[in-house]
Amino acid sequence: MAVGEGWQVHAKAKRDSVNSLVPEKWRLAHVPTAAEQRDVTGDYICQFLSANEVKITETDAVGIVEKTTAGEWSAFEVAEAFCHRAALAHQLVRKDNSTSTLMDFVPPFATNCLHEIFFDAALDDAKALDQYYAEHSKPLGPLHGLPVSLKDQFHVRGVETTMGYVGWIGTFQGQKGTGREKVYESEMVRELRALGAILYCKTSVPHTLMSGETVNNIIGYCWNPKNRNLSCGGSSGGEGALIGLKGSPVGFGTDIGGSIRIPAGFNGLYGIRPSAGRLPYEGMANSMDGQNSILSVVGPLAQTVRGLRLVVKSLLSQSPWLHDPLVHEMPWRDEHEKMIMDFIGPQHGGAGKLSFGVMKHDGIVAPHPPVRRAIETVVQVLEKLGHKVIEWMPPSHERGNNIGMTTWFYDGGADVHKAFALSGEPVAMQVSGAYGDKPFEQMNASKIAETNILKREFQKDYMDYWNSTKEITGTGRSVDAVIAPIAPFAAALPEKYSYYGYSTFVNVLDYTSCVIPVTTADKAIDIVDEGYKPINEQDQKIYEHYDPGIFDGAHVAVQLVGRRLQEEKVLALAELVGEAIDKN
């Protein structure tokens, strides 16, 4: 960074360089305010697309590859349609300042979901795929011609990885002269290309990644396209907003405290947080790299469960354990999916029954009315189908939450503040609440070892509780999965995401969890519970944040939590539950 130039200069230059990559023909002359148009999904964004582009972009990932691998759709026309819709999404995930043109965006109105745009490279790749198909009469791989978006932690040739830090602009993870700038690629990027996927954009994140809202000094604040009074979530918030607007059929985020599940839930999507070591994280940028007590994991978000299954199964076909030393040698296990189908068949001893735990309250913070209604909806649907639902009364989640929070502060904020110091940029309020404006005392080896012991003991106690449910399910098995909120609210109000307990416990346990969209908030139904008495200060704060009018129309989702490394089973259950909700 040149001497005498403030961080604002570099942030604006980066922002303008990305925005300039949106073709003129795709730029919107006017973006309405949130008061004028709260919801910019569905028909609103479709008005800017051709009929063929709508047909393509409204198709899920599996439907797309069915067409591209059969030669019915060219990779080029699919890529171009999603590039166009992504460009529109990039402009629509804003709230105010409606008279501004694309190049006029400045924080706090530079509320875009894309950090990097490489449409031209994607279209060149698509042409190459079409040429391959023409020459060989077969697809390159199972993801032939499928556009895939990536969170801005993935390194992709030709573009930067800033991870929301101004000081990372023009560098490789904050370092200059490494020889890796704009040429190095993460392991999963290599595998996606080998499978035939088309990579075309990288999506916005909160700087540090440690927030359930997406905000940084380059792009400003990223709003929720379904309800632009609310957050799109974080830290994979750009992915959530983009896929929620169907500017991508499937994309990859990461999750250390809820960062796949939160944006998936806030944007009405399916998203899976796999257990650590199931999918390759090798070669990706990260915060606090080397903190191994609770690992960040990578996983997909999509419009359908079958879209999630497609990309996970395809990646595992690439034997990622041969290229990432932390990946388990565990190919896709069809038998785990079949096991669920067997359980609900009359030939099984369970007489067609599955069993679920339901967590309506974690004992710390009560969910808002729309979230409570979503939980009740799922319970009613499952019971109507004859499945057993029991109240989930596990070991103290406060205990688990404290363990998780401790791991995030091992280094006293040294890593994130080093990145901020590169430019002198300010720390967003959503991050400074936890990390302050300067480093603090680091924990010593004894404290870290103590935390690891506490984590192991918590995991064992939770395992024992889960096993104990075998005595009350009536199926001869412990519960198959647990239905729980992702957050206490349908989506977060700006600067109001103060409680992460509903998502973090999954990371502490390293369980597999999949988000299932259920309904939308309705101000006529989801009224304030005037008689509720909060049980603590945190509960009081969350309770007071609820306003039926502001949340009206927001997506509401739940998470389905399975045990560790149960990705196949959890996806099968999520598909079953999701289809049942849709039918009922």
Side-chain angles (χ1 to χ4, degrees), residues 61 232 309 370 396 400 508 533 575:
C232 65
R309 182 186 294 111
S396 167
V508 176
K533 302 294 184 185
E575 191 165 47

Side-chain angles (χ1 to χ4, degrees), residues 1 7-15 17 116 160-176 181 217-218 422-423 425:
M1 189 165 291
W7 65 265
Q8 299 94 330
V9 174
H10 295 275
K12 183 180 187 303
K14 177 63 178 179
R15 180 167 60 251
S17 71
E116 300 289 341
E160 294 181 330
T161 300
T162 68
M163 218 166 72
Y165 289 123
V166 176
W168 280 24
I169 296 170
T171 74
F172 182 83
Q173 297 181 188
Q175 297 183 341
K176 292 186 176 181
E181 294 87 342
N217 292 315
I218 301 173
L422 292 171
S423 67
E425 64 179 308

Side-chain angles (χ1 to χ4, degrees), residues 398-446:
E398 184 172 15
R399 177 180 156 201
N401 294 343
N402 290 337
I403 294 167
M405 291 293 287
T406 299
T407 68
W408 296 347
F409 303 126
Y410 278 168
D411 75 344
D415 177 71
V416 300
H417 285 295
K418 178 182 177 182
F420 287 126
L422 292 171
S423 67
E425 64 179 308
V427 184
M429 177 273 197
Q430 289 86 345
V431 174
S432 64
Y435 289 96
D437 58 3
K438 59 185 177 182
F440 43 94
E441 184 179 1
Q442 298 191 24
M443 297 182 197
N444 59 29
S446 295

